[in-house]
Amino acid sequence: MPCGPDLGALTVMDGRNQQLAEALAEQESLLESAAASERLLENVIDSVGVGIVVVDRDGHDVLMNRAQRRIHQLASPPGNDDPNESQLLLWHPGSALPMPPEQRPVRRAVLQETFTNSLVAMGQTQREARVLSASARQVIDHRGERSGAVVVFSDVTSYIDMVRSQEQFVAAVSHELRTPLTSVIGYLELAQDDGDLSRETASYLQVAQRNADQLLLIVQDLLADQVARSGTEQLTLRPARLSEIAQQAAESVALRAEKRGITLERKIVETPELPLDAQRLQQAVGNLLSNALKYTPRGGTVCVHTAVEDHHLELAVTDTGIGISDQEQTNLFTDYYRTETARNSDIPGHGIGLSLTRRIVVAHGGQISVTSRPGEGSTFTIRFGLDEVEWADRA
Ligand code: ADP
């Protein structure tokens, strides 16, 4: 066996060292470019004007960009620099009601909800709050599993202010139109009472009156809409029962149902008292009932029922009417929206009632939903969480 270094083995080791050094250099350059990409991404995320929050599957913050940190600060309670989401000062936009924890955008995203343009107001007081539009998407990892969620907030305060001033303008104009129109209708009625009118003149006056009545209906609808919009900011909450509201709303449409040949059923169980604005809710339930009567042909059935579940109260209006397709249901609560069937029919309407109803329900911290099948009928359900009562109470 020869003494001295095994030159063959040394050469092999030298080669391996070199390979190792090359691999290390490659890894270092990969790490550097990964760090550079991360810095670039951070800069991009920090420079956009929208707030971005990324949470992991347990709801812990993974990332929050600069815009979102500012939003967070805006909604932090005085003396608390690092509040969690449930402590943030979040409000239902356009109302004086704090938003309950489970309706808050990040919480909903953590609960695996995906949504677009959900409005929320954030700030120390409702009056000085900014209005933000929140959208959430779930994050799926390379194995196809949910690893968290991303929520994006954009400030739409100036857009909302613009819409509000437009609404105030419409309210002022419709108010100004109502008085002269009422007078025109009054004089048209008087003129028609004159027994000496020729048949031709009488028919002219009839047409004029029909059109003036129609115009007055439009103006009244616009006004009711505006009152409800501003009214939701000033809800008068007093202990009231949803069951009594349902009963009264049913009574006020009973005669109309009879005249239209529709059976009106009531399955009303007494519900516990909640802090509610009974007058506004009466208007909301009245809208659902008058829609049910309007969109149900003679011989059909309309039913109003209430139920008390473990954690919520329910009021539902069911009809056996024309129904609404799945696709159209998604737009139903939007201002001025009417389904194609309604537009093509001679059933009068302006597409204001449901959006108004929704606003009243949401201002109370409740929810409204619809299930329907074309040709078979619809059910509109209003739901109030019992766990949220303390929220409404504080308003
Ligand atoms: P309007 O009835 O004055 O048009 P709404 O805002 O109350 O306005 O309703 C919006 C639209 O929703 C209606 O035009 C109609 O197309 C549809 N809709 C509402 N309620 C019902 C119902 N019970 N059955 C079928 N369609 C309905």
Side-chain angles (χ1 to χ4, degrees):
M1 183 104 166
C3 294
D6 179 348
L7 288 179
L10 276 182
T11 316
V12 170
M13 270 179 67
D14 216 22
R16 286 214 180 121
N17 279 346
Q18 201 172 335
Q19 274 176 359
L20 211 58
E22 278 168 13
L24 274 175
E26 195 179 336
Q27 208 171 19
E28 222 163 276
S29 113
L30 280 175
L31 280 174
E32 252 173 46
S33 70
S37 302
E38 200 179 317
R39 269 196 306 278
L40 178 68
L41 197 64
E42 264 172 27
N43 281 328
V44 171
I45 286 177
D46 268 344
S47 59
V48 292
V50 293
I52 301 173
V53 192
V54 181
V55 287
D56 65 17
R57 66 164 72 83
D58 300 319
H60 301 122
D61 286 354
V62 176
L63 182 153
M64 188 184 284
N65 74 342
R66 193 176 294 150
Q68 186 57 23
R69 284 195 291 274
R70 272 198 302 269
I71 293 172
H72 218 76
Q73 235 170 10
L74 196 79
S76 298
N80 184 348
D81 292 338
D82 188 23
N84 59 37
E85 221 226 353
S86 64
Q87 295 167 324
L88 288 175
L89 300 167
L90 265 58
W91 312 84
H92 282 290
S95 90
L97 295 178
M99 187 171 271
E102 68 284 359
Q103 288 180 21
R104 299 175 170 222
V106 175
R107 182 83 191 119
R108 286 168 60 194
V110 172
L111 294 173
Q112 306 195 18
E113 211 182 307
T114 289
F115 52 88
T116 304
N117 292 339
S118 175
L119 291 186
V120 53
M122 292 192 186
Q124 302 289 324
T125 64
Q126 196 277 332
R127 214 160 275 284
E128 63 194 37
R130 308 290 300 171
V131 183
L132 296 140
S133 163
S135 300
R137 295 289 178 273
Q138 299 302 311
V139 179
I140 307 298
D141 69 14
H142 62 283
R143 288 185 296 268
E145 284 169 17
R146 182 183 163 271
S147 61
V150 51
V151 190
V152 177
F153 291 87
S154 49
D155 192 327
V156 291
T157 314
S158 49
Y159 171 73
I160 297 283
D161 286 347
M162 202 176 71
V163 171
R164 287 226 173 104
S165 48
Q166 214 171 9
E167 284 170 2
Q168 278 160 4
F169 173 73
V170 173
V173 171
S174 28
H175 196 262
E176 291 304 311
L177 281 176
R178 193 170 57 164
T179 317
L181 249 179
T182 318
S183 154
V184 168
I185 291 171
Y187 281 105
L188 280 172
E189 276 167 3
L190 275 181
Q192 286 177 89
D193 285 345
D194 184 349
D196 297 335
L197 290 179
S198 72
R199 270 174 71 173
E200 207 177 15
T201 312
S203 82
Y204 292 162
L205 287 176
Q206 246 175 28
V207 174
Q209 166 140 31
R210 212 173 37 241
N211 283 285
D213 283 344
Q214 177 74 10
L215 206 55
L216 186 64
L217 273 181
I218 297 175
V219 167
Q220 276 167 345
D221 268 359
L222 282 173
L223 261 179
D225 182 43
Q226 299 308 322
V227 168
R229 278 171 208 262
S230 54
T232 51
E233 283 164 27
Q234 308 145 9
L235 289 180
T236 313
L237 300 173
R238 294 212 182 87
R241 291 182 204 278
L242 202 55
S243 46
E244 275 167 24
I245 292 170
Q247 196 68 263
Q248 280 161 12
E251 264 157 35
S252 59
V253 297
L255 194 65
R256 212 183 317 163
E258 200 183 308
K259 276 191 183 158
R260 295 181 54 91
I262 292 170
T263 311
L264 180 65
E265 288 181 357
R266 300 168 213 204
K267 294 182 182 161
I268 298 173
V269 296
E270 187 175 273
T271 58
E273 282 189 335
L274 287 185
L276 302 172
D277 188 324
Q279 211 180 347
R280 293 251 163 271
L281 274 172
Q282 182 100 37
Q283 188 183 5
V285 180
N287 280 344
L288 295 184
L289 276 169
S290 70
N291 274 351
L293 293 176
K294 210 160 70 163
Y295 297 106
T296 300
R298 187 167 277 277
T301 303
V302 167
C303 176
V304 52
H305 90 252
T306 56
V308 185
E309 306 290 343
D310 275 352
H311 296 285
H312 68 265
L313 299 183
E314 233 176 61
L315 181 153
V317 174
T318 304
D319 65 59
T320 56
I322 60 174
I324 307 149
S325 70
D326 284 353
Q327 201 200 352
E328 291 186 302
Q329 284 171 34
T330 55
N331 296 316
L332 221 50
F333 298 98
T334 312
D335 285 350
Y336 308 112
Y337 179 80
R338 302 200 75 203
T339 61
E340 203 182 333
T341 329
R343 273 184 277 127
N344 294 338
S345 70
D346 54 6
I347 306 170
H350 311 294
I352 295 174
L354 277 184
S355 58
L356 189 150
T357 301
R358 183 181 168 277
R359 269 196 298 280
I360 296 173
V361 172
V362 169
H364 278 85
Q367 288 167 339
I368 182 165
S369 59
V370 59
T371 53
S372 184
R373 264 174 194 273
E376 290 184 17
S378 316
T379 299
F380 286 85
T381 308
I382 294 176
R383 192 167 286 171
F384 292 115
L386 288 174
D387 306 335
E388 288 144 26
V389 174
E390 59 169 319
W391 286 93
D393 245 345
R394 284 171 43 182

